[in-house]
Amino acid sequence: MMREDSPSRNPPDRAVFERKAKELGFLRVGFSPAEAPPHLDAFLEWIAAGRHAGMHWMASHADLRRHPAALLEGCRTVISLAYPYSPRKPVTTDRFEAARFTEPRLPDYHDRLRKHARPLLDLLRSWDPRSRNRICVDSAPILERSFALRAGVGFIGKNNLLIVPGYGSYVFLLEILTTIPLKPTLSTPPKDHCGPCNRCIEACPSGALSGPRLFDASLCLSYRTIECRDPLGADAAEAASGCFFGCDVCQEVCPFNPIAVTEDPCLPDAADILAMDAEAFATRFGTSAFARAGLEKIKGNLLAVMPSESARRRG
Ligand code: SF4
Ligand code: SF4
């Protein structure tokens, strides 16, 4: 029997890890050293300027973002993974829209991705049974786009999102922190590929993007319709143009994403959603991203966007 402190029979092999990740549906994998992320100073300045709006956890956990070892003691490697979500836009039968990442037919991505990644933890443990490993899906205080950039998974566009060349930005990001030292994928982070394009900045309907990567969450419709607990004001509701949950405008115009917008009529009529009680909502939306936001938030958003959108449709 192999003792716990005996050498592993399967030495760490990045190619084996990448193959396994791809079998599990991950699109891109990259490895980076556990060190301060490239955009730490810019992030801390962004927080100091208050552009994180009501996302107070970002400020209170800012120190944890300085180094991955704050999240996993002895961390040696950050493994970044991109998982694709559908490029089809979810719409109600009367064509009110939600952001693509919500994938209303599926459970919320936080738990779903964590489950997808578990076999990768098994693989790491098979290399070193004493290793410590931690999966982070959006909820942990880590600069995930920065690490994904450092690991060569993609580049950060002027819309502040991670873009995977050859696929686009309709991706979830996940990190695995590990105490196993693995060779970095790249020696230096890749350059961005936006060039002279400014489409996302020009198209942002609320002014949340005031320049390349200059992002103000307090103005962003995605923040306003999901995390923000305040009701959607009239200006924001009008800017949302019928999208009642999230916003994909700065992704839809990006040439790295599919040009044609295809709709997925997977949501009930807006009036049916407004008529739901808690039980009907739980039955219909289960553990989806909608359930995570809650019925009251969804109803409030719908009630806010419907009048201006209906007026716009009447011309
Ligand atoms: S998600 Fe919408 S509101 Fe937010 S920055 Fe992008 S285009 Fe602007
Ligand atoms: S729309 Fe243009 S500027 Fe914005 S992220 Fe995409 S390529 Fe970059």
Side-chain angles (χ1 to χ4, degrees):
M1 192 174 111
M2 194 171 73
R3 279 167 38 131
E4 270 227 326
D5 57 356
S6 64
S8 162
R9 263 186 275 160
N10 302 310
D13 185 333
R14 284 188 342 195
V16 170
F17 190 97
E18 285 174 18
R19 240 185 347 262
K20 182 75 188 164
K22 289 196 176 156
E23 275 168 32
L24 294 166
F26 290 95
L27 194 65
R28 213 55 73 83
V29 187
F31 303 81
S32 59
E35 55 190 32
H39 300 94
L40 180 64
D41 290 345
F43 171 76
L44 295 173
E45 281 166 25
W46 184 73
I47 292 285
R51 296 212 170 89
H52 57 300
M55 294 182 280
H56 302 300
W57 67 91
M58 286 196 150
S60 53
H61 295 150
D63 271 349
L64 293 176
R65 295 177 198 255
R66 289 179 187 275
H67 198 287
L71 299 176
L72 180 78
E73 198 185 335
C75 182
R76 300 287 300 278
T77 307
V78 178
I79 308 171
S80 297
L81 300 110
Y83 192 89
Y85 56 81
S86 172
R88 297 182 72 201
K89 183 193 296 202
V91 293
T92 64
T93 43
D94 48 352
R95 303 199 58 251
F96 289 94
E97 301 166 4
R100 288 161 178 78
F101 86 89
T102 61
E103 299 190 306
R105 289 193 182 89
L106 298 174
D108 178 72
Y109 69 92
H110 293 85
D111 290 341
R112 188 158 43 96
L113 285 202
R114 198 174 285 281
K115 280 185 194 140
H116 271 311
R118 275 196 196 131
L120 296 173
L121 289 197
D122 296 339
L123 181 59
L124 292 171
R125 284 192 205 108
S126 77
W127 291 344
D128 180 355
R130 293 167 302 179
S131 66
R132 280 173 290 108
N133 309 288
R134 175 173 177 181
I135 299 175
C136 304
V137 190
D138 204 15
S139 48
I142 182 165
L143 295 189
E144 55 180 7
R145 278 165 287 159
S146 218
F147 278 106
L149 171 84
R150 178 71 183 79
V153 170
F155 69 94
I156 299 177
K158 291 180 186 174
N159 59 5
N160 230 16
L161 298 172
L162 198 280
I163 298 173
V164 178
Y167 184 80
S169 61
Y170 296 136
V171 293
F172 298 118
L173 293 177
L174 175 145
E175 302 75 44
I176 299 179
L177 312 185
T178 179
T179 53
I180 300 176
L182 293 162
K183 191 168 175 248
T185 306
L186 301 177
S187 49
T188 52
K191 298 225 174 332
D192 86 66
H193 298 278
C194 290
C197 177
N198 276 314
R199 287 189 205 175
C200 51
I201 297 164
E202 289 157 7
C204 174
S206 64
L209 286 172
S210 56
R213 298 169 203 88
L214 292 176
F215 171 68
D216 187 338
S218 68
L219 297 173
C220 176
L221 297 174
S222 195
Y223 166 73
R224 299 287 301 276
T225 57
I226 300 175
E227 283 97 352
C228 181
R229 291 292 105 191
D230 298 333
L232 206 57
D235 287 356
E238 185 157 0
S241 299
C243 187
F244 67 98
F245 196 57
C247 171
D248 280 339
V249 172
C250 57
Q251 301 195 79
E252 284 173 355
V253 297
C254 180
F256 286 91
N257 284 328
I259 294 166
V261 173
T262 51
E263 295 182 345
D264 177 7
C266 59
L267 294 166
D269 200 87
D272 290 342
I273 297 176
L274 291 173
M276 284 179 180
D277 59 15
E279 197 182 337
F281 183 70
T283 304
R284 179 65 182 74
F285 291 111
T287 55
S288 69
F290 277 61
R292 195 175 168 95
L295 178 58
E296 291 317 309
K297 183 69 183 165
I298 302 283
K299 280 187 179 179
N301 289 348
L302 262 177
L303 288 170
V305 304
M306 284 171 75
S308 57
E309 178 61 7
S310 301
R312 194 179 64 80
R313 288 179 192 178
R314 285 195 299 271

